[in-house]
Amino acid sequence: MTTTTPAGTTAPAAKLERWQRFRANRDNALAAGHGWLTLTSFQWLEDSPAAVELVPGLWSTQVNGSAEGTGTRERTTAVLTAVPSDGLTLVETGETVGGTITAVLADEESLMWVQFGGPAGDRTVVELAMRGGRYAIRTRDAESPVFTEFDGVPTYPYTPEWEVTARFEPYPAPVDVPISTANPLVDGVHRTAGEVVFRLPGSPHEFRLQAEEEKLGALTVTFHDETNGDTTDDWRKVSLPRPRPDGSVVLDFNRAINYPSAFTPYGTCPMPVRNNSLDVRVEAGEKAPYPA
């Protein structure tokens, strides 16, 4: 049995059904409470205690001296001082914040730290984040219109031709490549594990995209293509399963998705490395969530 897609191509029903399940799981994940769609601010913490927008309490960072065993000369701690009437409680335990609390994170780590507001006291969750060696907080408001009005991400129709067999060529050792991120004040690093090599329908040449290795050997490719700024966001990513022993791997652009920065200006999502640009229109996967 086969199923005809809106693009006029014919796809095996099983593959189409797997893609539909993937899309349902993706939209459900975005609609989860206090997820990426609820972000309403991104604010750096200063050295001296100070009030911040949208959140009670006084926030700051402090230098603690050397971090034993890390090879760094000093480390910093995030500090929050509040009184019970501020209504802040710890996300993990529900304990009221009355006095001064601290937290220490490594770079790129995040902590859902405190919450406040609403009938249950958990309308807004405050995420503590360490980005580029600095502490910041992001507010996640369950009543953000981006979240409450979300009705799924627009996508291209499933098209089997955008699923290709690629070849993964690993590097002898991972290579750290400096990159930019969605926040111009935050630099990033792409730990390149190797290159995914493939051809696309209608293109006369071979493509090579640098990939990062994820858990259990899976790969992630972040890329530009000619649809960016037209029907898609400025860049997207696609996950690949662990390559087979012969290096072959399935690259399915039908599963290309947006980074959180496509939905909110408060993301610090990584941009593609310089060479990860395709000179074709990849009309597959997620479109821009908001029309241009």
Side-chain angles (χ1 to χ4, degrees):
M1 175 182 176
T2 57
T3 302
T4 302
T5 70
T9 58
T10 301
K15 286 189 175 183
L16 177 59
E17 289 169 2
R18 285 198 294 270
W19 178 77
Q20 290 170 335
R21 288 197 299 270
F22 166 79
R23 289 303 325 155
N25 290 336
R26 164 67 171 163
D27 286 340
N28 288 339
L30 283 171
H34 294 112
W36 292 116
L37 302 185
T38 65
L39 290 179
T40 53
S41 74
F42 180 100
Q43 302 174 75
W44 297 108
L45 301 188
E46 303 297 338
D47 293 339
S48 300
V52 298
E53 295 182 3
L54 305 179
V55 185
L58 299 177
W59 299 75
S60 64
T61 64
Q62 68 180 24
V63 178
N64 295 333
S66 63
E68 184 178 353
T70 65
T72 60
R73 297 179 60 186
E74 57 186 27
R75 63 177 181 175
T76 57
T77 295
V79 182
L80 165 61
T81 300
V83 296
S85 60
D86 287 328
L88 292 168
T89 61
L90 295 175
V91 171
E92 184 175 354
T93 65
E95 179 183 356
T96 297
V97 179
T100 297
I101 60 173
T102 62
V104 176
L105 300 179
D107 203 32
E108 296 303 315
E109 286 187 337
S110 292
L111 170 68
M112 299 301 179
W113 199 12
V114 295
Q115 59 193 355
F116 68 97
D122 60 355
R123 167 181 164 173
T124 301
V125 167
V126 184
E127 172 196 2
L128 178 69
M130 171 70 87
R131 297 291 184 269
R134 297 177 63 189
Y135 281 110
I137 60 169
R138 289 192 287 208
T139 48
R140 295 173 178 251
D141 187 341
E143 296 186 13
S144 165
V146 176
F147 175 66
T148 59
E149 298 174 10
F150 177 68
D151 190 30
V153 186
T155 71
Y156 284 100
Y158 176 80
T159 306
E161 285 75 14
W162 284 110
E163 179 182 328
V164 299
T165 299
R167 181 178 74 256
F168 179 58
E169 297 182 355
Y171 292 165
V175 177
D176 287 344
V177 181
I179 57 172
S180 299
T181 73
N183 186 319
L185 300 179
V186 178
D187 294 326
V189 174
H190 185 280
R191 174 152 289 190
T192 304
E195 296 179 358
V196 176
V197 186
F198 59 97
R199 291 185 179 274
L200 289 175
S203 178
H205 58 84
E206 191 175 65
F207 295 99
R208 289 178 170 268
L209 297 181
Q210 296 180 40
E212 288 189 293
E213 188 173 62
E214 308 295 345
K215 294 179 180 179
L216 303 177
L219 303 172
T220 295
V221 170
T222 302
F223 67 96
H224 291 295
D225 74 89
E226 294 298 311
T227 66
N228 296 163
D230 177 15
T231 56
T232 65
D233 196 53
D234 292 339
W235 66 91
R236 294 179 289 169
K237 68 175 178 178
V238 62
S239 296
L240 291 71
R242 181 176 182 173
R244 303 181 184 99
D246 64 357
S248 63
V249 64
V250 174
L251 172 57
D252 188 357
F253 283 104
N254 291 290
R255 300 193 177 210
I257 65 172
N258 295 315
Y259 273 98
S261 54
F263 303 92
T264 171
Y266 306 114
T268 57
C269 304
M271 291 184 177
V273 295
R274 180 173 299 178
N275 295 328
N276 276 24
S277 294
L278 303 174
D279 59 354
V280 296
R281 290 181 62 87
V282 179
E283 295 183 332
E286 291 187 353
K287 296 182 178 181
Y290 313 111

Coordinates of all heavy atoms in Angstrom, one line a residue, residues 5-7 9 16 19 22-23 26 153-164 198 200-201 221 223-239 251-259 278 280-289:
T5 N 1.4 12.0 -1.3 CA 1.6 13.2 -0.5 C 1.1 14.4 -1.3 O 0.9 14.3 -2.5 CB 3.1 13.4 -0.2 OG1 3.7 13.8 -1.4 CG2 3.8 12.2 0.4
P6 N 0.8 15.5 -0.6 CA 0.4 16.7 -1.3 C 1.3 17.2 -2.4 O 0.9 17.9 -3.3 CB 0.3 17.7 -0.2 CG 0.0 16.9 1.0 CD 0.8 15.7 0.8
A7 N 2.6 16.8 -2.4 CA 3.5 17.2 -3.4 C 3.4 16.4 -4.7 O 4.1 16.7 -5.7 CB 5.0 17.1 -2.9
T9 N 4.1 13.1 -4.9 CA 4.9 12.0 -4.9 C 4.3 10.9 -4.1 O 3.4 11.1 -3.4 CB 6.3 12.3 -4.3 OG1 6.1 12.8 -3.0 CG2 7.0 13.4 -5.2
L16 N 5.7 7.2 5.8 CA 4.9 8.4 6.0 C 4.3 8.4 7.4 O 4.3 9.4 8.1 CB 3.7 8.4 5.0 CG 2.7 9.6 5.1 CD1 3.4 10.9 5.1 CD2 1.6 9.4 4.1
W19 N 6.9 9.4 9.9 CA 7.1 10.8 9.9 C 6.0 11.5 10.6 O 6.2 12.5 11.3 CB 7.3 11.3 8.4 CG 7.4 12.8 8.3 CD1 8.6 13.5 8.5 CD2 6.4 13.7 7.9 NE1 8.3 14.8 8.3 CE2 7.0 15.0 8.0 CE3 5.1 13.6 7.6 CZ2 6.3 16.2 7.6 CZ3 4.4 14.8 7.3 CH2 5.0 16.1 7.3
F22 N 6.6 11.3 14.2 CA 7.7 12.2 14.5 C 7.2 13.6 14.7 O 7.5 14.3 15.6 CB 8.8 12.1 13.4 CG 9.8 13.2 13.5 CD1 10.8 13.2 14.4 CD2 9.7 14.3 12.6 CE1 11.8 14.2 14.5 CE2 10.6 15.3 12.7 CZ 11.7 15.3 13.6
R23 N 6.3 14.0 13.7 CA 5.8 15.4 13.8 C 4.9 15.6 15.0 O 5.0 16.6 15.7 CB 5.0 15.7 12.5 CG 5.8 15.9 11.2 CD 6.8 16.9 11.3 NE 6.4 18.1 12.1 CZ 7.3 18.9 12.7 NH1 8.6 18.7 12.6 NH2 6.8 19.9 13.4
R26 N 7.1 15.9 18.0 CA 7.8 17.2 18.0 C 6.9 18.3 18.5 O 7.3 19.1 19.3 CB 8.3 17.5 16.6 CG 8.7 18.9 16.2 CD 9.9 19.3 16.9 NE 10.4 20.6 16.4 CZ 11.2 21.4 17.0 NH1 11.8 21.1 18.2 NH2 11.6 22.6 16.5
V153 N 4.0 23.4 14.3 CA 5.0 24.1 13.4 C 4.6 23.8 12.0 O 4.4 22.6 11.6 CB 6.4 23.6 13.7 CG1 7.4 24.4 12.8 CG2 6.7 23.7 15.2
P154 N 4.5 24.8 11.1 CA 4.2 24.5 9.7 C 5.4 23.8 9.0 O 6.6 24.0 9.4 CB 4.1 25.9 9.1 CG 4.8 26.8 10.0 CD 4.7 26.2 11.4
T155 N 5.1 22.8 8.2 CA 6.1 22.0 7.5 C 5.9 21.9 6.0 O 4.7 22.1 5.6 CB 6.2 20.6 8.1 OG1 5.1 19.9 7.7 CG2 6.3 20.6 9.6
Y156 N 6.9 21.5 5.3 CA 6.7 21.0 3.9 C 6.0 19.6 4.0 O 6.2 18.9 5.0 CB 8.0 20.9 3.2 CG 8.6 22.2 2.8 CD1 9.6 22.8 3.5 CD2 8.2 22.8 1.6 CE1 10.2 24.0 3.1 CE2 8.8 24.0 1.2 CZ 9.8 24.6 1.9 OH 10.3 25.8 1.5
P157 N 5.3 19.2 2.9 CA 4.8 17.9 2.9 C 5.9 16.9 2.9 O 7.0 17.1 2.4 CB 4.0 17.8 1.6 CG 3.8 19.3 1.1 CD 5.0 20.0 1.7
Y158 N 5.6 15.7 3.4 CA 6.6 14.6 3.4 C 6.9 14.2 1.9 O 6.0 14.0 1.1 CB 6.1 13.4 4.1 CG 7.0 12.2 4.0 CD1 8.1 12.1 4.9 CD2 6.8 11.2 3.1 CE1 9.0 11.0 4.8 CE2 7.6 10.1 3.0 CZ 8.7 10.0 3.8 OH 9.6 9.0 3.7
T159 N 8.2 14.2 1.6 CA 8.6 13.9 0.3 C 9.8 12.9 0.4 O 10.9 13.2 0.9 CB 9.1 15.1 -0.5 OG1 8.1 16.1 -0.4 CG2 9.4 14.8 -1.9
P160 N 9.6 11.7 -0.1 CA 10.6 10.6 0.1 C 12.0 10.9 -0.6 O 13.0 10.5 -0.1 CB 10.0 9.4 -0.5 CG 8.9 9.8 -1.4 CD 8.4 11.1 -0.8
E161 N 12.0 11.8 -1.6 CA 13.2 12.1 -2.3 C 14.2 12.9 -1.4 O 15.4 12.9 -1.7 CB 13.0 12.9 -3.6 CG 12.4 12.0 -4.7 CD 11.0 11.7 -4.6 OE1 10.3 12.3 -3.7 OE2 10.5 10.8 -5.3
W162 N 13.7 13.5 -0.3 CA 14.6 14.2 0.6 C 15.2 13.3 1.6 O 15.9 13.8 2.5 CB 13.8 15.4 1.2 CG 13.6 16.5 0.3 CD1 12.5 16.9 -0.3 CD2 14.6 17.4 -0.2 NE1 12.7 18.0 -1.1 CE2 14.0 18.3 -1.1 CE3 16.0 17.5 -0.1 CZ2 14.7 19.3 -1.7 CZ3 16.7 18.5 -0.7 CH2 16.1 19.4 -1.6
E163 N 14.9 12.0 1.5 CA 15.6 11.0 2.4 C 16.7 10.4 1.5 O 16.4 9.7 0.6 CB 14.7 10.0 3.0 CG 15.3 9.0 3.8 CD 14.4 7.9 4.3 OE1 13.2 8.2 4.6 OE2 14.8 6.8 4.5
V164 N 18.0 10.6 1.9 CA 19.1 10.1 1.1 C 20.0 9.3 2.0 O 20.1 9.4 3.2 CB 19.9 11.2 0.4 CG1 19.0 12.0 -0.5 CG2 20.5 12.2 1.5
F198 N 27.1 13.5 0.8 CA 25.9 13.0 0.2 C 25.6 13.8 -1.1 O 26.3 14.8 -1.4 CB 24.7 13.1 1.1 CG 24.5 14.5 1.6 CD1 23.5 15.4 0.9 CD2 25.2 15.1 2.6 CE1 23.3 16.7 1.4 CE2 25.0 16.4 3.1 CZ 24.0 17.2 2.4
L200 N 22.2 15.3 -3.5 CA 20.8 15.6 -3.5 C 20.2 15.6 -4.9 O 20.9 15.9 -5.9 CB 20.5 17.0 -2.9 CG 20.8 17.1 -1.4 CD1 20.7 18.5 -0.9 CD2 19.9 16.2 -0.6
P201 N 18.9 15.2 -5.0 CA 18.2 15.2 -6.3 C 18.4 16.6 -7.0 O 18.1 17.6 -6.4 CB 16.8 14.9 -6.0 CG 16.8 14.2 -4.6 CD 18.0 14.9 -3.9
V221 N 23.5 17.7 12.3 CA 24.0 18.6 11.3 C 23.2 19.9 11.3 O 21.9 19.8 11.2 CB 23.9 17.9 9.9 CG1 24.2 19.0 8.8 CG2 24.9 16.8 9.8
F223 N 22.6 23.5 9.4 CA 22.8 23.9 8.0 C 22.0 25.1 7.6 O 20.9 25.4 8.1 CB 22.6 22.7 7.1 CG 21.1 22.3 7.0 CD1 20.3 22.8 5.9 CD2 20.5 21.5 7.9 CE1 18.9 22.5 5.9 CE2 19.2 21.1 7.8 CZ 18.4 21.6 6.8
H224 N 22.6 25.8 6.6 CA 21.9 26.8 5.8 C 21.4 26.2 4.5 O 22.1 25.2 4.0 CB 22.8 28.0 5.5 CG 23.2 28.8 6.6 ND1 22.3 29.6 7.3 CD2 24.4 29.1 7.1 CE1 22.9 30.3 8.3 NE2 24.2 30.0 8.2
D225 N 20.4 26.7 3.9 CA 20.0 26.4 2.5 C 19.3 27.5 1.9 O 19.1 28.6 2.5 CB 19.2 25.1 2.4 CG 17.8 25.3 2.9 OD1 16.9 25.6 2.0 OD2 17.5 25.1 4.1
E226 N 19.0 27.4 0.6 CA 18.4 28.6 -0.2 C 17.0 28.9 0.2 O 16.5 29.9 -0.3 CB 18.5 28.2 -1.7 CG 19.9 28.2 -2.2 CD 20.7 29.5 -2.1 OE1 20.1 30.5 -2.5 OE2 21.8 29.4 -1.5
T227 N 16.3 28.2 1.0 CA 15.0 28.6 1.5 C 15.0 29.5 2.7 O 14.0 30.1 3.1 CB 14.1 27.3 1.9 OG1 14.7 26.7 3.1 CG2 14.0 26.3 0.8
N228 N 16.2 29.6 3.3 CA 16.3 30.4 4.5 C 15.9 31.9 4.3 O 16.4 32.5 3.3 CB 17.8 30.4 5.1 CG 18.2 29.1 5.5 OD1 19.4 28.8 5.7 ND2 17.3 28.1 5.8
G229 N 15.1 32.5 5.2 CA 14.7 33.8 5.0 C 13.5 34.0 4.0 O 13.0 35.1 3.9
D230 N 13.1 32.9 3.4 CA 12.0 32.9 2.5 C 10.9 32.0 3.1 O 9.9 32.6 3.7 CB 12.4 32.3 1.1 CG 11.3 32.2 0.1 OD1 10.2 32.8 0.4 OD2 11.4 31.5 -0.9
T231 N 11.0 30.7 3.0 CA 10.0 29.9 3.6 C 10.5 29.2 5.0 O 9.6 28.7 5.7 CB 9.6 28.7 2.7 OG1 10.7 28.0 2.3 CG2 8.9 29.3 1.5
T232 N 11.8 29.3 5.2 CA 12.3 28.7 6.4 C 13.1 29.7 7.2 O 13.4 30.8 6.8 CB 13.3 27.5 6.1 OG1 14.4 28.0 5.4 CG2 12.5 26.5 5.3
D233 N 13.4 29.4 8.5 CA 14.2 30.3 9.4 C 15.6 30.4 8.8 O 15.9 29.7 7.8 CB 14.1 29.7 10.8 CG 14.6 30.8 11.8 OD1 14.0 31.9 11.8 OD2 15.5 30.5 12.6
D234 N 16.4 31.2 9.5 CA 17.8 31.4 9.0 C 18.7 30.2 9.0 O 19.7 30.2 8.2 CB 18.4 32.5 9.8 CG 17.7 33.9 9.6 OD1 17.1 34.0 8.6 OD2 17.9 34.8 10.5
W235 N 18.4 29.2 9.8 CA 19.1 28.0 9.7 C 18.3 26.9 10.4 O 17.4 27.2 11.2 CB 20.5 28.0 10.3 CG 20.6 28.3 11.8 CD1 20.7 27.4 12.7 CD2 20.7 29.6 12.4 NE1 20.8 28.0 14.0 CE2 20.8 29.3 13.8 CE3 20.7 30.9 12.0 CZ2 20.8 30.3 14.8 CZ3 20.7 31.9 12.9 CH2 20.8 31.6 14.3
R236 N 18.6 25.6 10.1 CA 17.9 24.5 10.7 C 18.9 23.4 11.1 O 20.1 23.5 10.8 CB 16.8 24.0 9.8 CG 15.7 24.9 9.5 CD 14.7 24.3 8.5 NE 15.2 24.2 7.2 CZ 14.6 23.5 6.2 NH1 13.5 22.9 6.4 NH2 15.2 23.5 5.0
K237 N 18.4 22.4 11.7 CA 19.2 21.2 12.0 C 18.5 19.9 11.7 O 17.2 19.9 11.7 CB 19.7 21.2 13.5 CG 18.6 21.0 14.5 CD 19.2 20.9 15.9 CE 18.1 20.7 16.9 NZ 18.6 20.5 18.3
V238 N 19.2 18.9 11.5 CA 18.6 17.6 11.3 C 19.5 16.5 12.0 O 20.7 16.6 12.1 CB 18.5 17.2 9.8 CG1 19.9 17.2 9.1 CG2 17.8 15.9 9.6
S239 N 18.8 15.6 12.7 CA 19.5 14.5 13.4 C 19.6 13.3 12.6 O 18.7 13.0 11.8 CB 18.7 14.2 14.7 OG 18.8 15.3 15.6
L251 N 20.1 10.2 5.9 CA 20.0 11.7 6.1 C 18.6 12.0 5.6 O 18.4 12.0 4.4 CB 21.1 12.4 5.4 CG 21.0 13.9 5.3 CD1 20.9 14.6 6.7 CD2 22.1 14.5 4.6
D252 N 17.7 12.4 6.5 CA 16.3 12.6 6.1 C 15.9 14.1 6.4 O 15.6 14.4 7.5 CB 15.3 11.7 6.9 CG 13.9 11.8 6.4 OD1 13.6 12.6 5.5 OD2 13.0 11.0 6.9
F253 N 15.9 14.9 5.4 CA 15.6 16.3 5.5 C 14.2 16.5 5.8 O 13.8 17.6 6.2 CB 16.0 17.1 4.3 CG 17.5 17.3 4.2 CD1 18.3 16.6 3.3 CD2 18.1 18.3 5.0 CE1 19.7 16.8 3.2 CE2 19.5 18.5 4.9 CZ 20.3 17.8 4.0
N254 N 13.3 15.5 5.7 CA 11.9 15.7 6.1 C 11.9 15.9 7.6 O 10.9 16.4 8.1 CB 11.1 14.4 5.8 CG 10.9 14.3 4.3 OD1 10.2 15.0 3.7 ND2 11.6 13.3 3.7
R255 N 12.9 15.5 8.3 CA 13.0 15.7 9.8 C 13.8 16.9 10.2 O 14.2 17.0 11.4 CB 13.5 14.4 10.4 CG 12.6 13.2 10.1 CD 12.9 12.0 11.0 NE 12.0 10.9 10.7 CZ 11.6 10.0 11.6 NH1 12.1 10.1 12.8 NH2 10.8 9.0 11.3
A256 N 14.1 17.8 9.3 CA 14.8 19.0 9.6 C 13.9 19.9 10.5 O 12.7 20.0 10.2 CB 15.2 19.8 8.4
I257 N 14.5 20.4 11.6 CA 13.7 21.2 12.5 C 14.3 22.5 12.8 O 15.5 22.7 12.6 CB 13.4 20.4 13.9 CG1 14.7 20.2 14.6 CG2 12.7 19.1 13.6 CD1 14.6 19.6 16.0
N258 N 13.5 23.4 13.4 CA 14.0 24.7 13.8 C 14.7 24.6 15.2 O 14.3 23.8 16.0 CB 12.8 25.7 13.9 CG 12.2 26.0 12.6 OD1 12.8 26.2 11.6 ND2 10.8 26.0 12.6
Y259 N 15.6 25.5 15.4 CA 16.2 25.7 16.7 C 15.2 26.6 17.5 O 14.3 27.3 16.9 CB 17.5 26.4 16.6 CG 18.7 25.5 16.5 CD1 19.2 25.3 15.2 CD2 19.3 24.9 17.6 CE1 20.3 24.4 15.1 CE2 20.3 24.0 17.4 CZ 20.9 23.8 16.2 OH 21.9 23.0 16.0
L278 N 24.1 24.8 1.9 CA 23.7 24.1 0.7 C 23.2 25.1 -0.3 O 22.3 25.9 0.0 CB 22.6 23.1 1.0 CG 23.0 22.0 2.1 CD1 21.7 21.2 2.5 CD2 24.1 21.2 1.7
V280 N 21.1 24.8 -2.6 CA 19.9 24.3 -3.2 C 18.8 24.7 -2.2 O 19.0 25.0 -1.0 CB 19.9 22.8 -3.4 CG1 20.9 22.4 -4.4 CG2 20.1 22.1 -2.1
R281 N 17.5 24.6 -2.7 CA 16.4 24.8 -1.8 C 16.0 23.5 -1.2 O 15.5 22.6 -1.9 CB 15.2 25.4 -2.6 CG 15.4 26.9 -3.0 CD 14.2 27.4 -3.8 NE 13.0 27.4 -2.9 CZ 12.7 28.4 -2.1 NH1 13.4 29.5 -2.1 NH2 11.5 28.4 -1.4
V282 N 16.2 23.4 0.1 CA 15.8 22.1 0.8 C 14.3 22.3 1.2 O 14.0 22.8 2.3 CB 16.7 21.8 2.0 CG1 16.2 20.6 2.7 CG2 18.1 21.7 1.5
E283 N 13.4 22.0 0.3 CA 12.0 22.1 0.6 C 11.5 20.9 1.3 O 10.6 20.1 0.8 CB 11.3 22.4 -0.7 CG 11.7 23.8 -1.3 CD 11.0 24.2 -2.6 OE1 10.5 23.3 -3.3 OE2 10.9 25.4 -2.8
A284 N 11.9 20.8 2.5 CA 11.6 19.6 3.4 C 11.7 20.0 4.8 O 12.5 20.9 5.1 CB 12.4 18.4 3.1
G285 N 11.0 19.4 5.7 CA 11.1 19.7 7.1 C 10.3 20.9 7.5 O 9.4 21.4 6.8
E286 N 10.7 21.5 8.7 CA 10.0 22.6 9.2 C 10.2 23.9 8.5 O 11.3 24.2 8.1 CB 10.4 22.8 10.7 CG 9.9 21.7 11.6 CD 10.1 21.9 13.1 OE1 10.7 22.9 13.5 OE2 9.6 21.1 13.8
K287 N 9.1 24.7 8.3 CA 9.2 26.0 7.8 C 9.3 27.0 8.9 O 9.3 26.6 10.1 CB 7.9 26.3 7.0 CG 7.7 25.5 5.8 CD 6.4 25.9 5.1 CE 6.2 25.1 3.8 NZ 5.0 25.5 3.1
A288 N 9.5 28.3 8.6 CA 9.6 29.3 9.6 C 8.2 29.3 10.4 O 7.2 29.3 9.7 CB 9.8 30.7 9.0
P289 N 8.2 29.4 11.7 CA 7.0 29.4 12.4 C 6.1 30.6 12.2 O 4.9 30.5 12.4 CB 7.5 29.3 13.9 CG 8.8 29.8 13.9 CD 9.4 29.4 12.6

